[in-house]
Amino acid sequence: MRRPIVAGNWKMHGTRVDNARLIEELLSRYPDRSIAQCLVCPPFVYLQEVGRLLRDGPIGLGAQDVCAEAQGAFTGEVSAAMLKDVGCGHVIVGHSERRWVYHESDQLVARKFAAAQARALVPILCVGEQLSDREAGRTEEVIARQLDVVLELCGVSALESAVIAYEPVWAIGTGRSATPEQAEVVHAFIRERIGARDAKIAMATRILYGGSVKAGNAAELFDQPDVDGGLIGGASLNAEEFLAILAAAGSR
Ligand code: PEP
């Protein structure tokens, strides 16, 4: 049985006051015996302080991105070692906003994945198709390409300490989630593709769904056999919503 994960991606939101309020509320109402693993990914500047607020409790700390280089003259970048140093356990790589807004290539994303693992951070590798890809019947082709570049660079065994998030670009922040059936088809495809290289690793890899997950649709998405939790954007900024999503993941 794969332990579900619920990860909150705060994107470029929050203030020190908002963050403290949100963490306090999450911790005070956190279910005693949550089956799901939970983490939050604040913006870089707040990582250390949010880590302190989390007080080694049940919620882990993750970052939203990482530099592919280990250190040096890369102004504006943040290395995997730095993320580790401030207490991160996870880092998102290849989020669609990085791929499409900042034109990160599949190769760069794969190098970020490798850089994270080199410092014992668990990468959350995001993959997902644009609406035009889906409409043209190219969803699997796009996902396979994004996944294969990482598998080629890092090897399938790298997935033993990684998480994958399927995030259809057309569903992110749009309020239009994939249906549970649409999500399951792609999740099963991802698992099969990994399984072609190593069946045991494929069965153990956790594949999260992301894209307009809310308290109201989380349970039906997480009920799908290959959906192992969620990467949550907007709804992770609201304690009520986020805790309800966590409860849905815990009761699957
Ligand atoms: C995300 O940012 O990864 C995401 C899935 O956003 P939202 O839940 O707001 O669609």
Side-chain angles (χ1 to χ4, degrees), residues 1-6 30-39 58-59 206 208 222 227-230 243-252:
M1 162 78 176
R2 295 178 294 268
R3 186 181 181 206
I5 306 185
V6 173
Y30 197 86
D32 265 358
R33 298 184 321 130
S34 175
I35 297 163
Q37 185 180 348
C38 178
L39 57 120
I59 303 177
R206 287 173 299 174
L208 315 184
F222 299 163
V227 178
D228 305 310
L243 288 165
I245 292 168
L246 184 67
S251 61
R252 78 195 272 266

PDB file of all heavy atoms in Angstrom, residues 1-6 30-39 58-59 206 208 222 227-230 243-252:
ATOM      1  N   MET A   1       0.862  -1.204   0.000  1.00  0.00           N
ATOM      2  CA  MET A   1       0.000   0.000   0.000  1.00  0.00           C
ATOM      3  C   MET A   1       0.895   1.250   0.000  1.00  0.00           C
ATOM      4  O   MET A   1       1.770   1.390   0.837  1.00  0.00           O
ATOM      5  CB  MET A   1      -0.913  -0.084   1.241  1.00  0.00           C
ATOM      6  CG  MET A   1      -1.562   1.212   1.682  1.00  0.00           C
ATOM      7  SD  MET A   1      -2.986   1.647   0.667  1.00  0.00           S
ATOM      8  CE  MET A   1      -3.572   3.101   1.512  1.00  0.00           C
ATOM      9  N   ARG A   2       0.669   2.116  -0.968  1.00  0.00           N
ATOM     10  CA  ARG A   2       1.469   3.351  -1.049  1.00  0.00           C
ATOM     11  C   ARG A   2       0.854   4.398  -0.109  1.00  0.00           C
ATOM     12  O   ARG A   2      -0.348   4.647  -0.180  1.00  0.00           O
ATOM     13  CB  ARG A   2       1.475   3.866  -2.492  1.00  0.00           C
ATOM     14  CG  ARG A   2       2.163   2.932  -3.479  1.00  0.00           C
ATOM     15  CD  ARG A   2       2.093   3.487  -4.893  1.00  0.00           C
ATOM     16  NE  ARG A   2       0.734   3.537  -5.404  1.00  0.00           N
ATOM     17  CZ  ARG A   2       0.146   2.571  -6.100  1.00  0.00           C
ATOM     18  NH1 ARG A   2       0.815   1.473  -6.404  1.00  0.00           N
ATOM     19  NH2 ARG A   2      -1.095   2.690  -6.510  1.00  0.00           N
ATOM     20  N   ARG A   3       1.714   5.012   0.704  1.00  0.00           N
ATOM     21  CA  ARG A   3       1.201   6.032   1.627  1.00  0.00           C
ATOM     22  C   ARG A   3       0.895   7.303   0.833  1.00  0.00           C
ATOM     23  O   ARG A   3       1.774   7.842   0.144  1.00  0.00           O
ATOM     24  CB  ARG A   3       2.250   6.318   2.700  1.00  0.00           C
ATOM     25  CG  ARG A   3       1.741   7.261   3.764  1.00  0.00           C
ATOM     26  CD  ARG A   3       2.808   7.548   4.800  1.00  0.00           C
ATOM     27  NE  ARG A   3       2.271   8.443   5.813  1.00  0.00           N
ATOM     28  CZ  ARG A   3       3.003   9.265   6.540  1.00  0.00           C
ATOM     29  NH1 ARG A   3       4.313   9.297   6.389  1.00  0.00           N
ATOM     30  NH2 ARG A   3       2.437  10.067   7.422  1.00  0.00           N
ATOM     31  N   PRO A   4      -0.338   7.790   0.896  1.00  0.00           N
ATOM     32  CA  PRO A   4      -0.661   8.993   0.117  1.00  0.00           C
ATOM     33  C   PRO A   4       0.086  10.231   0.621  1.00  0.00           C
ATOM     34  O   PRO A   4       0.465  10.296   1.797  1.00  0.00           O
ATOM     35  CB  PRO A   4      -2.172   9.167   0.299  1.00  0.00           C
ATOM     36  CG  PRO A   4      -2.565   8.291   1.430  1.00  0.00           C
ATOM     37  CD  PRO A   4      -1.500   7.266   1.641  1.00  0.00           C
ATOM     38  N   ILE A   5       0.279  11.168  -0.274  1.00  0.00           N
ATOM     39  CA  ILE A   5       0.925  12.440   0.080  1.00  0.00           C
ATOM     40  C   ILE A   5       0.004  13.580  -0.335  1.00  0.00           C
ATOM     41  O   ILE A   5      -0.594  13.540  -1.418  1.00  0.00           O
ATOM     42  CB  ILE A   5       2.255  12.656  -0.678  1.00  0.00           C
ATOM     43  CG1 ILE A   5       3.204  11.477  -0.478  1.00  0.00           C
ATOM     44  CG2 ILE A   5       2.941  13.944  -0.237  1.00  0.00           C
ATOM     45  CD1 ILE A   5       4.560  11.692  -1.113  1.00  0.00           C
ATOM     46  N   VAL A   6      -0.069  14.584   0.513  1.00  0.00           N
ATOM     47  CA  VAL A   6      -0.731  15.832   0.132  1.00  0.00           C
ATOM     48  C   VAL A   6       0.294  16.944   0.311  1.00  0.00           C
ATOM     49  O   VAL A   6       0.796  17.165   1.412  1.00  0.00           O
ATOM     50  CB  VAL A   6      -1.985  16.088   0.995  1.00  0.00           C
ATOM     51  CG1 VAL A   6      -2.564  17.461   0.701  1.00  0.00           C
ATOM     52  CG2 VAL A   6      -3.027  15.008   0.741  1.00  0.00           C
ATOM     53  N   TYR A  30      -4.616  19.646  13.018  1.00  0.00           N
ATOM     54  CA  TYR A  30      -4.070  18.510  12.265  1.00  0.00           C
ATOM     55  C   TYR A  30      -4.613  17.202  12.837  1.00  0.00           C
ATOM     56  O   TYR A  30      -4.580  16.989  14.050  1.00  0.00           O
ATOM     57  CB  TYR A  30      -2.534  18.520  12.357  1.00  0.00           C
ATOM     58  CG  TYR A  30      -1.882  17.657  11.302  1.00  0.00           C
ATOM     59  CD1 TYR A  30      -1.620  18.161  10.032  1.00  0.00           C
ATOM     60  CD2 TYR A  30      -1.561  16.332  11.572  1.00  0.00           C
ATOM     61  CE1 TYR A  30      -1.045  17.372   9.056  1.00  0.00           C
ATOM     62  CE2 TYR A  30      -0.982  15.535  10.590  1.00  0.00           C
ATOM     63  CZ  TYR A  30      -0.726  16.061   9.343  1.00  0.00           C
ATOM     64  OH  TYR A  30      -0.170  15.269   8.371  1.00  0.00           O
ATOM     65  N   PRO A  31      -5.122  16.318  11.991  1.00  0.00           N
ATOM     66  CA  PRO A  31      -5.697  15.072  12.523  1.00  0.00           C
ATOM     67  C   PRO A  31      -4.639  14.250  13.264  1.00  0.00           C
ATOM     68  O   PRO A  31      -3.522  14.095  12.787  1.00  0.00           O
ATOM     69  CB  PRO A  31      -6.182  14.330  11.269  1.00  0.00           C
ATOM     70  CG  PRO A  31      -5.600  15.054  10.109  1.00  0.00           C
ATOM     71  CD  PRO A  31      -5.195  16.417  10.543  1.00  0.00           C
ATOM     72  N   ASP A  32      -5.018  13.743  14.407  1.00  0.00           N
ATOM     73  CA  ASP A  32      -4.099  12.991  15.269  1.00  0.00           C
ATOM     74  C   ASP A  32      -3.363  11.887  14.554  1.00  0.00           C
ATOM     75  O   ASP A  32      -2.174  11.705  14.708  1.00  0.00           O
ATOM     76  CB  ASP A  32      -4.920  12.314  16.388  1.00  0.00           C
ATOM     77  CG  ASP A  32      -4.928  13.181  17.603  1.00  0.00           C
ATOM     78  OD1 ASP A  32      -4.272  14.229  17.548  1.00  0.00           O
ATOM     79  OD2 ASP A  32      -5.606  12.804  18.581  1.00  0.00           O
ATOM     80  N   ARG A  33      -4.147  11.121  13.793  1.00  0.00           N
ATOM     81  CA  ARG A  33      -3.534   9.942  13.189  1.00  0.00           C
ATOM     82  C   ARG A  33      -3.721   9.979  11.674  1.00  0.00           C
ATOM     83  O   ARG A  33      -4.359   9.115  11.092  1.00  0.00           O
ATOM     84  CB  ARG A  33      -4.147   8.683  13.775  1.00  0.00           C
ATOM     85  CG  ARG A  33      -3.886   8.579  15.284  1.00  0.00           C
ATOM     86  CD  ARG A  33      -4.378   7.299  15.918  1.00  0.00           C
ATOM     87  NE  ARG A  33      -5.652   6.823  15.408  1.00  0.00           N
ATOM     88  CZ  ARG A  33      -5.855   5.583  15.010  1.00  0.00           C
ATOM     89  NH1 ARG A  33      -4.894   4.714  15.052  1.00  0.00           N
ATOM     90  NH2 ARG A  33      -7.045   5.207  14.592  1.00  0.00           N
ATOM     91  N   SER A  34      -3.157  11.005  11.058  1.00  0.00           N
ATOM     92  CA  SER A  34      -3.326  11.088   9.611  1.00  0.00           C
ATOM     93  C   SER A  34      -2.502   9.996   8.938  1.00  0.00           C
ATOM     94  O   SER A  34      -1.329   9.808   9.234  1.00  0.00           O
ATOM     95  CB  SER A  34      -2.877  12.450   9.099  1.00  0.00           C
ATOM     96  OG  SER A  34      -2.946  12.446   7.692  1.00  0.00           O
ATOM     97  N   ILE A  35      -3.137   9.303   8.034  1.00  0.00           N
ATOM     98  CA  ILE A  35      -2.447   8.246   7.297  1.00  0.00           C
ATOM     99  C   ILE A  35      -1.599   8.878   6.200  1.00  0.00           C
ATOM    100  O   ILE A  35      -0.558   8.367   5.817  1.00  0.00           O
ATOM    101  CB  ILE A  35      -3.487   7.281   6.681  1.00  0.00           C
ATOM    102  CG1 ILE A  35      -4.259   6.607   7.805  1.00  0.00           C
ATOM    103  CG2 ILE A  35      -2.825   6.252   5.784  1.00  0.00           C
ATOM    104  CD1 ILE A  35      -5.542   5.962   7.345  1.00  0.00           C
ATOM    105  N   ALA A  36      -2.055  10.019   5.720  1.00  0.00           N
ATOM    106  CA  ALA A  36      -1.344  10.663   4.607  1.00  0.00           C
ATOM    107  C   ALA A  36      -0.150  11.462   5.110  1.00  0.00           C
ATOM    108  O   ALA A  36      -0.156  12.006   6.209  1.00  0.00           O
ATOM    109  CB  ALA A  36      -2.301  11.569   3.856  1.00  0.00           C
ATOM    110  N   GLN A  37       0.866  11.504   4.256  1.00  0.00           N
ATOM    111  CA  GLN A  37       2.013  12.377   4.524  1.00  0.00           C
ATOM    112  C   GLN A  37       1.642  13.778   4.042  1.00  0.00           C
ATOM    113  O   GLN A  37       0.950  13.917   3.031  1.00  0.00           O
ATOM    114  CB  GLN A  37       3.202  11.830   3.731  1.00  0.00           C
ATOM    115  CG  GLN A  37       4.502  12.528   3.983  1.00  0.00           C
ATOM    116  CD  GLN A  37       5.634  11.910   3.146  1.00  0.00           C
ATOM    117  OE1 GLN A  37       5.471  10.843   2.556  1.00  0.00           O
ATOM    118  NE2 GLN A  37       6.747  12.601   3.091  1.00  0.00           N
ATOM    119  N   CYS A  38       2.091  14.787   4.765  1.00  0.00           N
ATOM    120  CA  CYS A  38       1.690  16.145   4.400  1.00  0.00           C
ATOM    121  C   CYS A  38       2.905  17.063   4.372  1.00  0.00           C
ATOM    122  O   CYS A  38       3.798  16.935   5.213  1.00  0.00           O
ATOM    123  CB  CYS A  38       0.688  16.630   5.452  1.00  0.00           C
ATOM    124  SG  CYS A  38       0.131  18.311   5.189  1.00  0.00           S
ATOM    125  N   LEU A  39       2.961  17.950   3.390  1.00  0.00           N
ATOM    126  CA  LEU A  39       4.025  18.951   3.389  1.00  0.00           C
ATOM    127  C   LEU A  39       3.537  20.234   2.736  1.00  0.00           C
ATOM    128  O   LEU A  39       2.566  20.228   1.981  1.00  0.00           O
ATOM    129  CB  LEU A  39       5.293  18.431   2.694  1.00  0.00           C
ATOM    130  CG  LEU A  39       5.209  17.951   1.280  1.00  0.00           C
ATOM    131  CD1 LEU A  39       6.116  18.755   0.391  1.00  0.00           C
ATOM    132  CD2 LEU A  39       5.631  16.494   1.243  1.00  0.00           C
ATOM    133  N   PRO A  58       4.083  17.198  12.344  1.00  0.00           N
ATOM    134  CA  PRO A  58       3.685  16.217  11.321  1.00  0.00           C
ATOM    135  C   PRO A  58       3.737  16.742   9.884  1.00  0.00           C
ATOM    136  O   PRO A  58       3.573  15.972   8.946  1.00  0.00           O
ATOM    137  CB  PRO A  58       2.240  15.886  11.712  1.00  0.00           C
ATOM    138  CG  PRO A  58       1.757  17.119  12.422  1.00  0.00           C
ATOM    139  CD  PRO A  58       2.944  17.710  13.117  1.00  0.00           C
ATOM    140  N   ILE A  59       3.944  18.045   9.717  1.00  0.00           N
ATOM    141  CA  ILE A  59       3.942  18.614   8.359  1.00  0.00           C
ATOM    142  C   ILE A  59       5.379  18.889   7.932  1.00  0.00           C
ATOM    143  O   ILE A  59       6.141  19.523   8.651  1.00  0.00           O
ATOM    144  CB  ILE A  59       3.112  19.924   8.315  1.00  0.00           C
ATOM    145  CG1 ILE A  59       1.681  19.656   8.804  1.00  0.00           C
ATOM    146  CG2 ILE A  59       3.108  20.507   6.896  1.00  0.00           C
ATOM    147  CD1 ILE A  59       0.791  20.897   8.868  1.00  0.00           C
ATOM    148  N   ARG A 206       4.903   6.852  -5.869  1.00  0.00           N
ATOM    149  CA  ARG A 206       3.679   7.604  -5.595  1.00  0.00           C
ATOM    150  C   ARG A 206       3.459   8.661  -6.675  1.00  0.00           C
ATOM    151  O   ARG A 206       4.365   9.435  -6.990  1.00  0.00           O
ATOM    152  CB  ARG A 206       3.741   8.204  -4.198  1.00  0.00           C
ATOM    153  CG  ARG A 206       3.560   7.076  -3.179  1.00  0.00           C
ATOM    154  CD  ARG A 206       3.762   7.485  -1.784  1.00  0.00           C
ATOM    155  NE  ARG A 206       5.076   7.983  -1.522  1.00  0.00           N
ATOM    156  CZ  ARG A 206       5.423   8.516  -0.343  1.00  0.00           C
ATOM    157  NH1 ARG A 206       4.522   8.616   0.612  1.00  0.00           N
ATOM    158  NH2 ARG A 206       6.635   8.934  -0.133  1.00  0.00           N
ATOM    159  N   LEU A 208       1.049  11.702  -7.680  1.00  0.00           N
ATOM    160  CA  LEU A 208       0.038  12.636  -7.180  1.00  0.00           C
ATOM    161  C   LEU A 208      -0.697  13.275  -8.348  1.00  0.00           C
ATOM    162  O   LEU A 208      -0.132  13.441  -9.428  1.00  0.00           O
ATOM    163  CB  LEU A 208       0.708  13.739  -6.350  1.00  0.00           C
ATOM    164  CG  LEU A 208       1.768  13.308  -5.337  1.00  0.00           C
ATOM    165  CD1 LEU A 208       2.257  14.519  -4.539  1.00  0.00           C
ATOM    166  CD2 LEU A 208       1.234  12.233  -4.423  1.00  0.00           C
ATOM    167  N   PHE A 222      -8.850  10.885  -5.340  1.00  0.00           N
ATOM    168  CA  PHE A 222      -7.952  10.007  -4.574  1.00  0.00           C
ATOM    169  C   PHE A 222      -8.463   8.565  -4.512  1.00  0.00           C
ATOM    170  O   PHE A 222      -7.724   7.665  -4.129  1.00  0.00           O
ATOM    171  CB  PHE A 222      -7.757  10.552  -3.146  1.00  0.00           C
ATOM    172  CG  PHE A 222      -7.140  11.933  -3.083  1.00  0.00           C
ATOM    173  CD1 PHE A 222      -7.219  12.695  -1.922  1.00  0.00           C
ATOM    174  CD2 PHE A 222      -6.471  12.485  -4.177  1.00  0.00           C
ATOM    175  CE1 PHE A 222      -6.647  13.961  -1.844  1.00  0.00           C
ATOM    176  CE2 PHE A 222      -5.909  13.766  -4.110  1.00  0.00           C
ATOM    177  CZ  PHE A 222      -5.997  14.501  -2.948  1.00  0.00           C
ATOM    178  N   VAL A 227      -3.964   6.983  -8.143  1.00  0.00           N
ATOM    179  CA  VAL A 227      -3.795   8.357  -7.645  1.00  0.00           C
ATOM    180  C   VAL A 227      -3.429   8.272  -6.159  1.00  0.00           C
ATOM    181  O   VAL A 227      -4.209   7.802  -5.333  1.00  0.00           O
ATOM    182  CB  VAL A 227      -5.083   9.192  -7.855  1.00  0.00           C
ATOM    183  CG1 VAL A 227      -4.908  10.602  -7.283  1.00  0.00           C
ATOM    184  CG2 VAL A 227      -5.427   9.271  -9.348  1.00  0.00           C
ATOM    185  N   ASP A 228      -2.216   8.722  -5.837  1.00  0.00           N
ATOM    186  CA  ASP A 228      -1.677   8.527  -4.483  1.00  0.00           C
ATOM    187  C   ASP A 228      -1.609   9.825  -3.690  1.00  0.00           C
ATOM    188  O   ASP A 228      -0.673  10.039  -2.903  1.00  0.00           O
ATOM    189  CB  ASP A 228      -0.279   7.904  -4.582  1.00  0.00           C
ATOM    190  CG  ASP A 228      -0.283   6.619  -5.400  1.00  0.00           C
ATOM    191  OD1 ASP A 228      -1.124   5.754  -5.117  1.00  0.00           O
ATOM    192  OD2 ASP A 228       0.527   6.501  -6.341  1.00  0.00           O
ATOM    193  N   GLY A 229      -2.558  10.702  -3.919  1.00  0.00           N
ATOM    194  CA  GLY A 229      -2.587  11.970  -3.204  1.00  0.00           C
ATOM    195  C   GLY A 229      -2.562  13.125  -4.178  1.00  0.00           C
ATOM    196  O   GLY A 229      -2.810  12.951  -5.376  1.00  0.00           O
ATOM    197  N   GLY A 230      -2.248  14.311  -3.661  1.00  0.00           N
ATOM    198  CA  GLY A 230      -2.365  15.484  -4.533  1.00  0.00           C
ATOM    199  C   GLY A 230      -1.311  16.539  -4.288  1.00  0.00           C
ATOM    200  O   GLY A 230      -0.754  16.666  -3.187  1.00  0.00           O
ATOM    201  N   LEU A 243      -7.037  20.904   5.010  1.00  0.00           N
ATOM    202  CA  LEU A 243      -7.229  19.816   5.975  1.00  0.00           C
ATOM    203  C   LEU A 243      -8.284  18.827   5.467  1.00  0.00           C
ATOM    204  O   LEU A 243      -8.164  17.617   5.682  1.00  0.00           O
ATOM    205  CB  LEU A 243      -7.633  20.384   7.344  1.00  0.00           C
ATOM    206  CG  LEU A 243      -6.494  21.093   8.095  1.00  0.00           C
ATOM    207  CD1 LEU A 243      -7.044  21.942   9.237  1.00  0.00           C
ATOM    208  CD2 LEU A 243      -5.464  20.086   8.626  1.00  0.00           C
ATOM    209  N   ALA A 244      -9.290  19.327   4.776  1.00  0.00           N
ATOM    210  CA  ALA A 244     -10.317  18.429   4.233  1.00  0.00           C
ATOM    211  C   ALA A 244      -9.706  17.555   3.124  1.00  0.00           C
ATOM    212  O   ALA A 244     -10.020  16.366   2.997  1.00  0.00           O
ATOM    213  CB  ALA A 244     -11.490  19.239   3.687  1.00  0.00           C
ATOM    214  N   ILE A 245      -8.813  18.137   2.337  1.00  0.00           N
ATOM    215  CA  ILE A 245      -8.141  17.365   1.278  1.00  0.00           C
ATOM    216  C   ILE A 245      -7.237  16.298   1.908  1.00  0.00           C
ATOM    217  O   ILE A 245      -7.196  15.146   1.469  1.00  0.00           O
ATOM    218  CB  ILE A 245      -7.333  18.324   0.358  1.00  0.00           C
ATOM    219  CG1 ILE A 245      -8.303  19.215  -0.431  1.00  0.00           C
ATOM    220  CG2 ILE A 245      -6.417  17.549  -0.585  1.00  0.00           C
ATOM    221  CD1 ILE A 245      -7.644  20.391  -1.147  1.00  0.00           C
ATOM    222  N   LEU A 246      -6.561  16.690   2.975  1.00  0.00           N
ATOM    223  CA  LEU A 246      -5.702  15.744   3.701  1.00  0.00           C
ATOM    224  C   LEU A 246      -6.545  14.584   4.255  1.00  0.00           C
ATOM    225  O   LEU A 246      -6.149  13.412   4.172  1.00  0.00           O
ATOM    226  CB  LEU A 246      -5.004  16.489   4.840  1.00  0.00           C
ATOM    227  CG  LEU A 246      -3.987  15.708   5.653  1.00  0.00           C
ATOM    228  CD1 LEU A 246      -2.771  15.361   4.810  1.00  0.00           C
ATOM    229  CD2 LEU A 246      -3.548  16.526   6.863  1.00  0.00           C
ATOM    230  N   ALA A 247      -7.711  14.924   4.797  1.00  0.00           N
ATOM    231  CA  ALA A 247      -8.597  13.877   5.341  1.00  0.00           C
ATOM    232  C   ALA A 247      -9.044  12.941   4.228  1.00  0.00           C
ATOM    233  O   ALA A 247      -9.103  11.719   4.405  1.00  0.00           O
ATOM    234  CB  ALA A 247      -9.796  14.532   6.017  1.00  0.00           C
ATOM    235  N   ALA A 248      -9.336  13.509   3.050  1.00  0.00           N
ATOM    236  CA  ALA A 248      -9.768  12.670   1.915  1.00  0.00           C
ATOM    237  C   ALA A 248      -8.648  11.724   1.517  1.00  0.00           C
ATOM    238  O   ALA A 248      -8.890  10.545   1.207  1.00  0.00           O
ATOM    239  CB  ALA A 248     -10.173  13.555   0.744  1.00  0.00           C
ATOM    240  N   ALA A 249      -7.407  12.201   1.533  1.00  0.00           N
ATOM    241  CA  ALA A 249      -6.281  11.339   1.162  1.00  0.00           C
ATOM    242  C   ALA A 249      -6.075  10.257   2.211  1.00  0.00           C
ATOM    243  O   ALA A 249      -5.740   9.114   1.891  1.00  0.00           O
ATOM    244  CB  ALA A 249      -5.008  12.175   1.015  1.00  0.00           C
ATOM    245  N   GLY A 250      -6.306  10.621   3.459  1.00  0.00           N
ATOM    246  CA  GLY A 250      -6.084   9.665   4.555  1.00  0.00           C
ATOM    247  C   GLY A 250      -7.118   8.565   4.617  1.00  0.00           C
ATOM    248  O   GLY A 250      -6.889   7.511   5.202  1.00  0.00           O
ATOM    249  N   SER A 251      -8.272   8.803   4.001  1.00  0.00           N
ATOM    250  CA  SER A 251      -9.331   7.786   4.132  1.00  0.00           C
ATOM    251  C   SER A 251      -9.502   6.990   2.849  1.00  0.00           C
ATOM    252  O   SER A 251     -10.494   6.311   2.668  1.00  0.00           O
ATOM    253  CB  SER A 251     -10.640   8.446   4.525  1.00  0.00           C
ATOM    254  OG  SER A 251     -11.003   9.366   3.516  1.00  0.00           O
ATOM    255  N   ARG A 252      -8.542   7.054   1.948  1.00  0.00           N
ATOM    256  CA  ARG A 252      -8.734   6.334   0.668  1.00  0.00           C
ATOM    257  C   ARG A 252      -8.507   4.836   0.839  1.00  0.00           C
ATOM    258  O   ARG A 252      -7.860   4.398   1.761  1.00  0.00           O
ATOM    259  CB  ARG A 252      -7.806   6.890  -0.413  1.00  0.00           C
ATOM    260  CG  ARG A 252      -6.377   6.439  -0.336  1.00  0.00           C
ATOM    261  CD  ARG A 252      -5.512   7.308  -1.196  1.00  0.00           C
ATOM    262  NE  ARG A 252      -5.456   6.810  -2.561  1.00  0.00           N
ATOM    263  CZ  ARG A 252      -4.470   5.996  -2.991  1.00  0.00           C
ATOM    264  NH1 ARG A 252      -3.544   5.569  -2.196  1.00  0.00           N
ATOM    265  NH2 ARG A 252      -4.460   5.606  -4.255  1.00  0.00           N
TER     266      ARG A 252
END
